[in-house]
Amino acid sequence: MYLLLGSERALLLDTGTGHATLRPVVESLLDGQRLIVAHTHSHGDHVGGDGEFDEVVGKSAEDVATYFGIADWPNDVVQLDLGGRVLDIIPIPGHHASHIAVYDRTSKVLFSGDSLYPGRLYVFDWTAFRASMTRLAEFVAAGNPVEWILGAHIELTREPGRDFEMGADKHPDEHELELDAGVLSELAEVLEEAGPDPSRIESDHFIVYPVPAG
Ligand SMILES: [Zn+2]
Ligand SMILES: [Zn+2]
């Protein structure tokens, strides 16, 4: 979960699994800003705390497009000004139909949710995911430099390409969370090379992990 503070508005990106009380912590960090609660995407581990908040951006791609004013989903990139801090909202379906990435022009951090992190990148819609990662890499190349990419999970160890078992309750010597922009370029390239048929791809910093339909 990430809380981005502007002078007038604040964006809470994801509400987690719902196993911990979130709202008092968030409110203690606000200084009069109006809170917007949105998600990178609406899998259960990202929306679990929604019930604590009065108003939350909806869970479908249509809801997300409507809230942020994205006319041509998933091709348009739109801006959200928090007050002295402009975010770019970038639709990137593939892991989930409603998935967005958020680029913070101030910190040059790209929030990538479950679409890129040091772990298994579960791809539910291969065609959409390939197109999304190409568009995201193009967005960065087109004058939006990225200092760090911050995703939502860590499933890799420090040993290149080696992951923890699914459901492991301990992660000794896990990979650091932050990834540099080169990892996004690499992901877009290997997806391009892989072609139209889903395939598992292992890299030092991620594992592309297609999930069969149904
Ligand atoms: Zn997810
Ligand atoms: Zn997740």
Side-chain angles (χ1 to χ4, degrees), residues 45-46 114 153:
D45 55 325
H46 298 255
D114 282 4
H153 300 279

Side-chain angles (χ1 to χ4, degrees), residues 40-46 95-96 99 113-114 117 122 124 153:
T40 56
H41 65 297
S42 54
H43 279 150
D45 55 325
H46 298 255
H95 170 77
H96 188 278
H99 208 306
D114 282 4
Y117 58 69
Y122 297 99
F124 292 87
H153 300 279

